[in-house]
Amino acid sequence: MNYSTQRFGAERKKIIKTVGALLISVSTVLFSSAAPAQSNVQSNTLQEVKSRGKVVCGLNKGLKGFAEANSLGDYSGLDSDFCRAVASAVFNDPKAVEFVPLTAGERFDALTAGQIDLLARNTTWTMSRNIEYGEFIGVNYYDGQGFMVSKRSGIRSALELDNKGICVIKDTTTELNAIDFFKVSKMRYRPVYFDTNAEINRAYEGGQCAAMTTDRSGLAATRATLSRPDAHLVLPEVISKEPLGPMVRAGDANWGNVVRWTLNCMINAEEMGITTSNVSRSAARATPAAARLLGVEGEFGSLLGIDNAWCANVITHVGNYSESYERNVGESTPLGLARGVNRLWTDGGLLYAPPIR
Ligand SMILES: N[C@@H](CCC(=O)N[C@@H](CS)C(=O)NCC(=O)O)C(=O)O
């Protein structure tokens, strides 16, 4: 199925959903006194996912450490792990997911048209995206934009890029931040635009631009795929805030909660020291907070419309946030990214998940 037929299917689904939603709203109005607060038109994605038997997850077409397919089309990365985590929360099965690779320019249409249930694609949370395209459920990687150059160029600061060719991907925050940065720094901006990582990497390595700009995690990922990573340097300047996070469609609070609490589960599990290898042991369930997280106490899964062991299943199959981070982008991987601001708040970082209560 090509993209346009998928979109057509999605449009049709949207119409069916809208009619369904209308019928449900009529019944909600008629029987509103009997209906619980959140039981309204918003809860249909979870139902659709359950009846389909898998989560359809949009992700990058190829970004090492975030979403990288092997020769069998099997994805690994921080973002693909998150898709699997949601599948584990809903189905206790990390394989119950269909990956839909998307370019930067395709991602929001795919979400709003209903082609995917969830977008986990190194996407920066901004105000206009939030208002126009959907809900960001949290942040799975705090990033900032930077520049990469070849060491041979002799460039050591982004302030030396006046009138130099800059490789940029279209339809990104990258594109907009670079304009601001050159303006504020009173330098001439000479962008060279591309649509995909494959194209930009080829152009950068072929010397079509003096520098490449994107999220610094994206630069680390790209650098790792170049023929001589050591010959390239990520410059020290961080020119923007790029809180990267998963998105869902607006107006579906219940599904948004399933996805949001899956991320919170992974972060809280790290804070409690609960890992794939100890999750089933009673020690991991010893504290009241851990017992709630793992579904031994309370009915928190039921509140979401899924199994009470939802979070235990996420940790069993995918691991806590730190396990996913270290496996995909951490210091021992080719990306070599230190946790930095992505440390837990208890270690001086920004990761702070609300409690399960
Ligand atoms: N975080 C930025 C940039 C995201 C982005 O798409 N970055 C580039 C480079 S890391 C990318 O993934 N390109 C791959 C593609 O579009 O295929 C945004 O949300 O706009």
Side-chain angles (χ1 to χ4, degrees):
M1 211 174 9
N2 67 26
Y3 184 65
S4 54
T5 49
Q6 280 178 348
R7 272 198 69 162
F8 179 65
E11 291 297 342
R12 255 201 343 216
K13 255 203 254 160
K14 204 174 169 188
I15 294 167
I16 294 167
K17 267 197 291 185
T18 313
V19 173
L22 274 172
L23 291 176
I24 295 168
S25 3
V26 169
S27 60
T28 308
V29 170
L30 290 177
F31 306 108
S32 55
S33 59
Q38 294 265 334
S39 142
N40 53 27
V41 296
Q42 301 178 334
S43 51
N44 51 22
T45 307
L46 178 60
Q47 264 335 106
E48 279 178 30
V49 166
K50 281 183 176 173
S51 46
R52 193 196 299 126
K54 64 184 176 190
V55 178
V56 182
C57 197
L59 78 185
N60 202 298
K61 285 203 149 166
L63 185 63
K64 205 173 182 55
F66 286 82
E68 190 184 21
N70 65 14
S71 55
L72 301 170
D74 237 357
Y75 277 88
S76 61
L78 196 74
D79 284 339
S80 52
D81 265 8
F82 188 68
C83 301
R84 290 201 172 94
V86 174
S88 304
V90 178
F91 297 111
N92 189 19
D93 178 4
K95 294 203 180 74
V97 50
E98 179 187 328
F99 293 114
V100 178
L102 298 163
T103 66
E106 290 168 342
R107 60 186 151 173
F108 302 119
D109 282 351
L111 182 67
T112 54
Q115 191 196 334
I116 54 176
D117 303 312
L118 153 74
L119 179 70
R121 189 203 173 282
N122 57 303
T123 292
T124 306
W125 183 342
T126 69
M127 182 172 175
S128 56
R129 287 174 175 179
N130 189 175
I131 293 165
E132 287 175 59
Y133 305 126
E135 300 292 340
F136 286 85
I137 60 83
V139 176
N140 71 339
Y141 191 94
Y142 286 94
D143 210 345
Q145 185 173 333
F147 295 89
M148 178 165 68
V149 294
S150 74
K151 286 185 182 161
R152 202 161 37 91
S153 70
I155 297 169
R156 294 294 178 267
S157 159
L159 297 169
E160 296 164 28
L161 293 172
D162 177 47
N163 206 27
K164 299 260 197 301
I166 312 290
C167 280
V168 192
I169 298 226
K170 275 193 288 202
D171 301 312
T172 56
T173 47
T174 317
E175 188 183 346
L176 308 172
N177 298 326
I179 296 170
D180 286 2
F181 173 71
F182 278 83
K183 192 170 173 186
V184 169
S185 313
K186 299 193 169 45
M187 296 190 295
R188 283 162 294 174
Y189 180 39
R190 197 148 61 77
V192 186
Y193 289 116
F194 298 91
D195 286 315
T196 65
N197 276 345
E199 289 166 7
I200 199 173
N201 294 0
R202 220 176 304 122
Y204 171 77
E205 210 161 20
Q208 277 191 50
C209 356
M212 171 174 170
T213 185
T214 186
D215 303 337
R216 291 178 110 235
S217 62
L219 294 177
T222 303
R223 188 169 174 268
T225 62
L226 298 176
S227 53
R228 290 181 50 225
D230 286 347
H232 301 268
L233 188 71
V234 175
L235 297 175
E237 288 85 359
V238 179
I239 69 161
S240 69
K241 289 188 287 189
E242 306 293 324
L244 309 179
M247 277 184 96
V248 294
R249 268 179 298 286
D252 195 340
N254 190 39
W255 176 242
N257 284 336
V258 169
V259 180
R260 174 178 299 108
W261 285 94
T262 298
L263 179 60
N264 288 335
C265 150
M266 293 175 76
I267 297 171
N268 276 321
E270 177 184 355
E271 193 180 324
M272 294 178 200
I274 300 168
T275 64
T276 295
S277 39
N278 72 15
V279 63
S280 58
R281 291 211 296 272
S282 54
R285 297 153 186 264
T287 67
R292 286 192 297 274
L293 184 82
L294 299 174
V296 177
E297 264 178 51
E299 301 283 323
F300 296 94
S302 305
L303 282 178
L304 292 170
I306 56 181
D307 197 291
N308 284 327
W310 61 285
C311 182
N313 297 337
V314 171
I315 305 307
T316 301
H317 298 301
V318 179
N320 68 30
Y321 181 84
S322 155
E323 291 178 283
S324 178
Y325 186 101
E326 297 305 340
R327 176 165 67 226
N328 296 305
V329 301
E331 287 185 282
S332 64
T333 70
L335 276 74
L337 295 167
R339 280 290 288 268
V341 291
N342 290 295
R343 291 190 307 267
L344 292 177
W345 67 289
T346 43
D347 300 330
L350 296 175
L351 291 201
Y352 184 109
I356 294 181
R357 266 272 171 233

